[in-house]
Amino acid sequence: HTSHTTYAYLNAEYIWFNDTNRHLLAWFDMTGSNEILYTMVVKLNSNGTVTVGTANQVVTGIDTKTPEIVNGHESGYPYLLFFVASSGDSALQFRDGSINTADNSNSCAGGGASTSTETAWKDPIYAFKYLDRNTVMAKTGSSQWHYNTRIAGSWKTSTTFGGTSITRLQMFYDATAAKVFAFYLESGTLKWKSGAPSTASTGGGIPTWSSSTDIRTTVTGWYNQQQMVVYDTKNSKYWLMFSEDSPAQKTFLYGFTISSAGAITWDSSPKEIANGQKTVHQAFYETSLGNVVGVSTHDHYTSYSADSTMDASNFLGWSSAAYSDGNTATIKVVGNTVTGLSGLTPGKKYYVQRDGSVGLTPV
């Protein structure tokens, strides 16, 4: 996009809401002292080509690093755009975004501050969506986290989260427990707490938080202001990505599940995925491969989310029966015949999957 060659703080989101199925970019034109926020639609065609819409000027005079784009809440507005304007009190602002799929143009309607009482917001981060409720959070100039929820187009009263020693805060909604979970660092300890969403007119969207629970006490390199908790649809569990400085710089994936009562059950231990790497920025789940992908300042890396190390080199054969750990087992090695199997279709060729199951697709 050659019309804007001096840009910074680019963000992108795939907009699926209301079957829009387009990518949306947001960035700042840094050509002059009065930075301008633009949005633009990008369509990825099935033949591999790209169709680009016209750039839409949203607002001038920006005082933030990263605009935040999220999927919408109403049929006429497939996306929401959050940002901080430098004019006035630097309050967190929003726009209702529309996309014309015929010509790939876009526009941002309405707008205004999400709160009239809090000032000096910085770097909005999308927290969670629950039914028609969109919650966004940001850090203020006093290093205090605030969050606010928009319900059916109306904002609630912004609410603070903890004290000024809290960093790396993020929230997500779990449908099984019907609760919002917050993960954050406080003085080097990684913690979590939960609360139920509210429709009250005040309170930011969470009426009462539970007591905090420690996860890890040596986390000092969780370098992130984006998504670090992702849901693994293949294995029906969450993964938390975090880094440590001590005793060595390493990055881990820590699997957990959430019960209907809101209790978290962690895997027996975190899974190390990167040694000598601690500057983790963001994680997302790649559905087609069943991978968690972590992005860092220096490089990016992937890790299979399944705990199994199954691959072609360590598959010896089929177990002749079900055995528990530590017992002697009979293994029918490759080339033998195993009987007594169920749930398979005769005549089909099956392949061992990375989670230890079998399927019709080679991996």
Side-chain angles (χ1 to χ4, degrees), residues 113-131:
S114 62
T115 170
S116 59
T117 58
E118 305 294 345
T119 61
W121 293 74
K122 297 287 184 180
D123 303 331
I125 300 172
Y126 188 64
F128 67 90
K129 181 181 180 70
Y130 169 65
L131 299 179

Side-chain angles (χ1 to χ4, degrees), residues 25-218:
L25 306 184
W27 74 93
F28 298 152
D29 186 333
M30 309 292 287
T31 304
S33 59
N34 190 24
E35 291 85 359
I36 303 173
L37 175 60
Y38 287 92
T39 55
M40 185 171 66
V41 173
V42 174
K43 178 185 178 183
L44 304 184
N45 302 308
S46 59
N47 62 359
T49 61
V50 176
T51 302
V52 180
T54 56
N56 170 50
Q57 179 176 319
V58 180
V59 66
T60 61
I62 299 299
D63 186 24
T64 187
K65 290 183 178 179
T66 305
E68 185 68 24
I69 309 166
V70 298
N71 276 273
H73 61 108
E74 299 169 359
S75 59
Y77 300 105
Y79 74 89
L80 290 171
L81 180 67
F82 297 98
F83 59 92
V84 176
S86 59
S87 59
D89 59 4
S90 295
L92 180 65
Q93 300 201 12
F94 69 94
R95 294 290 188 275
D96 294 297
S98 61
I99 294 177
N100 186 333
T101 56
D103 61 7
N104 296 302
S105 62
N106 82 100
S107 61
C108 295
S114 62
T115 170
S116 59
T117 58
E118 305 294 345
T119 61
W121 293 74
K122 297 287 184 180
D123 303 331
I125 300 172
Y126 188 64
F128 67 90
K129 181 181 180 70
Y130 169 65
L131 299 179
D132 62 346
R133 312 168 199 181
N134 285 274
T135 298
V136 67
M137 58 187 177
K139 207 166 189 179
T140 65
S142 62
S143 297
Q144 173 71 63
W145 283 99
H146 296 253
Y147 63 93
N148 202 346
T149 301
R150 187 183 184 199
I151 300 179
S154 299
W155 287 99
K156 306 181 75 171
T157 303
S158 63
T159 304
T160 61
F161 186 93
T164 57
S165 61
I166 288 178
T167 59
R168 316 309 182 201
L169 171 64
Q170 71 171 236
M171 303 178 192
F172 63 94
Y173 177 78
D174 178 76
T176 300
K179 292 180 181 294
V180 173
F181 289 78
F183 281 63
Y184 58 95
L185 273 178
E186 187 170 20
S187 302
T189 299
L190 183 57
K191 301 180 178 183
W192 72 270
K193 61 174 61 174
S194 64
S198 171
T199 57
S201 59
T202 60
I206 307 295
T208 304
W209 289 102
S210 67
S211 300
S212 63
T213 301
D214 292 353
I215 303 172
R216 198 88 164 171
T217 58
T218 58

Side-chain angles (χ1 to χ4, degrees), residues 304 307-319 331-334 352-357 363:
Y304 285 109
D307 292 331
S308 173
T309 58
M310 180 66 68
D311 58 35
S313 64
N314 61 21
F315 174 67
L316 300 179
W318 301 106
S319 171
I331 304 299
K332 298 292 187 69
V333 297
V334 175
V352 179
Q353 308 298 300
R354 286 191 171 90
D355 61 359
S357 63
V363 295

Side-chain angles (χ1 to χ4, degrees), residues 12-25 41-42 69-72 77-80 97 99 101:
E13 179 72 18
Y14 180 70
I15 307 301
W16 49 262
F17 189 85
N18 200 35
D19 294 328
T20 301
N21 299 324
R22 297 289 190 275
H23 288 81
L24 185 77
L25 306 184
V41 173
V42 174
I69 309 166
V70 298
N71 276 273
Y77 300 105
Y79 74 89
L80 290 171
I99 294 177
T101 56

Side-chain angles (χ1 to χ4, degrees), residues 231-246:
Y231 188 72
D232 178 349
T233 56
K234 180 178 180 181
N235 296 285
S236 301
K237 66 191 300 184
Y238 289 94
W239 292 99
L240 166 67
M241 180 174 284
F242 68 91
S243 299
E244 293 182 348
D245 284 335
S246 177

Side-chain angles (χ1 to χ4, degrees), residues 4-18:
H4 302 275
T5 57
T6 308
Y7 62 89
Y9 307 120
L10 175 73
N11 201 358
E13 179 72 18
Y14 180 70
I15 307 301
W16 49 262
F17 189 85
N18 200 35

